[in-house]
Amino acid sequence: MANKPEVTHKELAARFARAREVLRKEEEENKAEGEKKARGKGRGGGVQGGLDGIGAGLNRGTAGAGAGAESTRKRAEFMASHGLLVGVLVWVFFIHVLGIYFFTKGFLLTRLVLDHKSDCKVLPTNIAASSHHSIGSPSDGCWHPKSFEKAIVIIVDALRYDFTVPYTAGTPHHYHNAFPLLHETASKQPANAFLLPFIADPPTATLQRLKGLTTGTLPTFVDVGSNFAGTAIEEDNLVSQLRDAGKNLVHLGDDTWHSLFPGYFDANLTRSYDSFNVWDLHTVDNGVMEHLVPLMQPANLSRWDVIFGHFLGVDHAGHRYGPDHPAMMAKLHQMDVFFREVIDLLDESTLLVVMGDHGMDVKGDHGGESDDEVEAALWMYSKRPLFGRSSEENITPPRTAKERPVGQIDLVPTLSLLLGIPIPFNNLGAPIEEAFIGKDGSDWQNLALVNHLAGGQIKRYQHEYALARGLDDSVTSKPLRIWDDAIDVFSKAGKGHRSTATVWRDAYTRFSNYQRETLSICRSLWARFDLVSMGQGIGILLTCILLLVTYAGGYSGDIIRLNPVLLLRVTAGTGLGVVSGFSVAWFLPDVTSNLDGILFGSAAGGLAGVAFAFFSERTRLSSPLPNTVWGWFSLVSVIGPSIGFASNSYTIWEDDILLFFISTFGFLAIVSSFRQKDVVDRTFGTYQSLIFLVLTRLSSFSRLCREEQMPYCRSTYYASTTSSTSAPWQLLIPFVFAIFLPGIIKSYYQSTRSYEGSAIFWIGFAFRIGLLLTAVFWTLDAADDGDWFAATKRGLLKTVRMSIAQLVLAIALAAGSTTFAWAKPCVNIQMTSPQQGSGSINGAAGDSSAPRSTLTILGYANTFGTHYFLLFTNVLLAVLLLTKPMGHLSLGLLTWQILSLLDLLDANHLLPNTPPTIGDPTPPTSPAIGPTILSLLGSYHFFKTGHQATIASIQWDSAFIPLRTIHYPWTPILVVANTFGAPILTALAVPLLVLWKRTDPKQSTAGPVIRGPPKQEQRQQQQQQQQRQRQQPLLADVARSMTTFLLCHATVACATTVWAAWLRRHLMLYRVFMPRFMLGALVLCVVDLVGILIAVGVGVRASVGSVGEVFGWG
């Protein structure tokens, strides 16, 4: 059948019209027969009968002379109503974004950036009169005599401290003992080198770390979103001070530096490389090594003063494989060999610095604040003996990162003074002891001096910051007392009073205490939240939730007819709000900015407009509280988790809590199915409920544990807890689903005779081919990861793999979208010639038995749902490609769960489109249960696809599955599709709750399912059903279902904002509550866009249009 030519909409409509015309002529010849009814519709999915029988399920106007104009009018009416519905939902998205914006603006920490710059000729403190130092020039040293003329500063991205120290406690991991050079030189040549733990301030993203390493100040969480595209650093920093001092700067490696410091580096000598292709372990590193070594040759020394190099191989090996992998050992060994060569080439006037900007967790990821993520390494080396230790026991580098750590902000004053340039104005770090105490470890006077200089600069910054922020004296009083004590001791030592090492050491200690106290105060200052802005955001979200509750469940009228009124009131309210907000900002500029005033005014005005619209319809408002068991379960399933987010332990174990709620639903569905009166519903519902429950349990075997869950959790998503690659057996999962998943989908189509038309080609062939290619892709990826082939074939392997990925996306998005847009309904129309003696199609006694032709439409019982599901499979194929093999288990089971959910809801009369049955004329429908369970499934499978509510769990490598380099906007889109694949699929599935087993835009069917009561009662039931259906058209059901789904996610997002605000001083704020708030906000925005624009905007419109083109719009 797949080889038959595709029948177009026009051909199918013409075939249906010809059949209708034949039936009409026969009916005219048999007018005496009386009223004709349909033979009924069972679960088989076909519709069969004469003209009137089919007319109940199809539009009567298809074959008539005036049908064209009427159909055109109905089509235009539907399209207009559809556009208005999309407009209302888009406004809801706009309100969600504004609520999140205002809360985020007040919650994510920011600091005031001062534009002051340190000057070489202006000392930060009054010590010029002392004999210790006089103001100099860049050639001699601005504030302190410089120790080096040149510097080579190398960042080995993600160089964790334990990668650099020897491991002898047991069986070493792959990352142990592979980079011994740093520890070896620091131990054997303490006057030439030192190695220390180098503690990063979270967030541990590269861009934020580079800002801290060059400015000496603290990062804030608000910078995380810019990690893909950094903006230039405008505040005073180490690089700008070097340039101002006349230094020729060269950069090699990570191109993030050029985003931060545009135009700072020598264009002829600088070489930058793409930084985010985590699949590439060698290009950047090889480029740095190839260009650094020639620059160190004597003939080229005059061409540069400072070289900044940035290696990425260690970081990329961690992201791709995890730290405990042979690739990590090879990369660390490569670094060891290379830096030995650099040492040999180094001259005595050049300082060599090697450091990590952050660490990595057990899977090789970073971004959070766990110990493994913040504990990097710092190593400094000089051919001249300039470094020292304050005690003999400190000669050997610390065994762990918990001993003698230094902050990464301490690098800025250290390098500044060693190279003879001013300390950047915003610096909060302190000079590193080992760099200034002298080779004998006794130069406490020099150590006190440099800390005096650094402390003086911190004091100057603190003073300017307090003035700019309008802080009172109580904030700075304590550190100022410490400063005065330190100055007193320093001054006495400088004048010769008891000028001993003990006094200088005391002065150094006091200056260090001042720096630490000031740093602590700055942390607290920058942890001050804008409660007004946070309250505005929470207020917007809460008000929107209340209005969504009214729209979805508290309004008894026709919400489709209400949409024009809502949009009119929204427009008027928004316009008035914009004017009011701008006026407030204009006359009270200290209260709010113009932008914030306009945005908040537009949100408040729009919400007020909707509220007024509902108030004007108050006679049709009713209590939105549920009145069924399913309704209450829906409410508890949303409110319960929302309350639970107040607990950090609940948030940490959220995946298990979701498993409980979904399993509880499966159990209740089994009980409900057993209570069904009809044996078919009872059997079918129980069967699908059991399938749903078993699939839920099977999906729980895919798991990625977060650090706080250890040791009570075992990760199965990757090959091991410390790996970021798939186990060999996991590669079979994509092949298994490529074989069986199309067949599973086919079985649900066949249950309603809908495996017809485009479904045969797309599901049986194209979708299966796409799944097989996806399985091949991940096999080739594993071959590349595991070095299954010779190195000479790796380039070809990558090209083939990328070509396959692009082909799969072309099948899913290009071919799939075309198929969905142009596909006719998944039906087959058959016309049977008149048969003598066949009797009446009605089968009722007393009817005449004139021969009749019979029209049979296979698949008509599910014509909307099966057509729409083609869109779901398109997106599913694309998301599967971007998901690792174990994620295929989760998403494949999710697809099956959705189909099972649709059928079990149908059997239990819980779908909005469930028709009444004879003997059960008013089934207790609960439209909220379907969207609620879909929202829970999306959240649950988010965790089952290798994600957690942590920054470190983001799978950045998904951006390079079909691409070699970053391409905007595709790179972020790929990461979003990988991260939120499960919520995206469940958002797409929401219209299926309305379209599944539905036949007509107004839900008119071929009559209720007849199961035995008298014919008079049947007719009465039909009339009642048709009356209800006229009151509840398809778009109204879609609107309520999608709004309920969005309401579930909006409630979770609002709850996480409320608890994050309430617990803003909680110890676990940045580790637990802030990431969960960010996740809730992002998921809400993603499902809003997908549900509104793709599911409702494209999917519903195309599916209804496809059916309408064939069967009419009447």
Side-chain angles (χ1 to χ4, degrees), residues 310-323:
H310 197 142
F311 288 93
L312 292 174
V314 171
D315 178 69
H316 288 185
H319 282 299
R320 185 171 179 183
Y321 303 107

Side-chain angles (χ1 to χ4, degrees), residues 43-46 748-754 859-862 866 997:
R43 292 193 181 273
Y748 282 88
Y749 271 65
Q750 288 179 328
S751 68
T752 55
R753 307 281 185 89
S754 301
Y860 183 72
N862 199 7
T866 51
K997 296 185 179 179

Side-chain angles (χ1 to χ4, degrees), residues 319 395 485 557 567 595 635 652 729 757 865 973:
H319 282 299
I395 292 179
D485 292 341
L567 285 178
L595 177 62
L635 183 64
I652 291 169
W729 68 269
I973 289 176

Side-chain angles (χ1 to χ4, degrees), residues 735-1070:
F735 286 100
V736 171
F737 277 95
I739 296 172
F740 292 104
L741 185 57
I744 293 171
I745 296 174
K746 175 182 176 181
S747 68
Y748 282 88
Y749 271 65
Q750 288 179 328
S751 68
T752 55
R753 307 281 185 89
S754 301
Y755 196 64
E756 302 286 345
S758 299
I760 299 175
F761 170 77
W762 180 251
I763 296 174
F765 178 73
F767 182 61
R768 188 186 299 275
I769 292 297
L771 292 177
L772 287 172
L773 289 174
T774 300
V776 172
F777 169 86
W778 285 108
T779 302
L780 295 178
D781 177 73
D784 191 16
D785 289 345
D787 296 330
W788 296 358
F789 301 100
T792 56
K793 297 182 179 179
R794 290 177 185 169
L796 177 62
L797 187 65
K798 291 180 180 179
T799 301
V800 172
R801 185 184 62 192
M802 189 171 299
S803 299
I804 291 175
Q806 293 171 353
L807 177 59
V808 172
L809 290 179
I811 294 174
L813 303 180
S817 298
T818 303
T819 299
F820 174 73
W822 294 98
K824 65 178 181 61
C826 301
V827 298
N828 186 15
I829 299 176
Q830 297 178 356
M831 186 71 180
T832 304
S833 301
Q835 297 291 332
Q836 292 292 335
S838 60
S840 171
I841 64 169
N842 299 314
D847 290 341
S848 63
S849 54
R852 290 291 307 274
S853 296
T854 304
L855 174 62
T856 303
I857 307 177
L858 299 177
Y860 183 72
N862 199 7
T863 181
F864 287 103
T866 51
H867 182 275
Y868 180 90
F869 196 79
L870 297 178
L871 174 64
F872 182 91
T873 59
N874 297 343
V875 179
L876 172 64
L877 181 57
V879 172
L880 284 172
L881 172 70
L882 303 175
T883 306
K884 294 183 183 292
M886 198 64 181
H888 285 231
L889 174 66
S890 172
L891 296 180
L893 295 178
L894 171 62
T895 303
W896 196 351
Q897 279 182 294
I898 290 173
L899 291 169
S900 177
L901 175 68
L902 294 171
D903 274 358
L904 74 87
L905 291 177
D906 178 61
N908 286 274
H909 311 295
L910 296 174
L911 291 178
N913 61 2
T914 302
T917 59
I918 305 307
D920 187 14
T922 56
T925 59
S926 182
I929 188 64
T932 301
I933 297 303
L934 283 177
S935 70
L936 293 178
L937 285 174
S939 300
Y940 174 68
H941 284 277
F942 166 83
F943 296 102
K944 301 297 109 177
T945 50
H947 300 97
Q948 283 284 350
T950 59
I951 297 176
S953 68
I954 299 175
Q955 299 169 21
W956 300 106
D957 55 349
S958 60
F960 303 97
I961 288 176
L963 303 172
R964 291 187 183 273
T965 58
I966 293 178
H967 292 281
Y968 292 101
W970 309 116
T971 297
I973 289 176
L974 292 171
V975 176
V976 168
N978 167 273
T979 306
F980 304 112
I984 287 172
L985 291 173
T986 52
L988 282 173
V990 173
L992 287 170
L993 297 170
V994 179
L995 303 178
W996 196 252
K997 296 185 179 179
R998 188 165 190 151
T999 57
D1000 177 278
K1002 288 189 176 180
Q1003 197 180 334
S1004 299
T1005 64
V1009 181
I1010 300 174
R1011 291 176 183 149
K1015 182 166 57 176
Q1016 182 177 1
E1017 184 175 348
Q1018 295 177 21
R1019 186 176 297 107
Q1020 182 180 1
Q1021 298 295 338
Q1022 292 179 32
Q1023 294 172 353
Q1024 293 175 352
Q1025 177 193 359
Q1026 292 170 0
Q1027 182 179 1
R1028 287 196 301 270
Q1029 290 160 358
R1030 283 193 295 270
Q1031 296 172 351
Q1032 189 72 3
L1034 179 146
L1035 278 180
D1037 286 337
V1038 171
R1040 294 186 190 277
S1041 296
M1042 182 56 70
T1043 305
T1044 303
F1045 178 80
L1046 299 181
L1047 180 61
C1048 294
H1049 284 288
T1051 303
V1052 171
C1054 185
T1056 57
T1057 60
V1058 170
W1059 294 125
W1062 182 259
L1063 301 169
R1064 61 188 180 276
R1065 300 297 179 186
H1066 196 282
L1067 181 64
M1068 303 294 285
L1069 175 65
Y1070 298 114

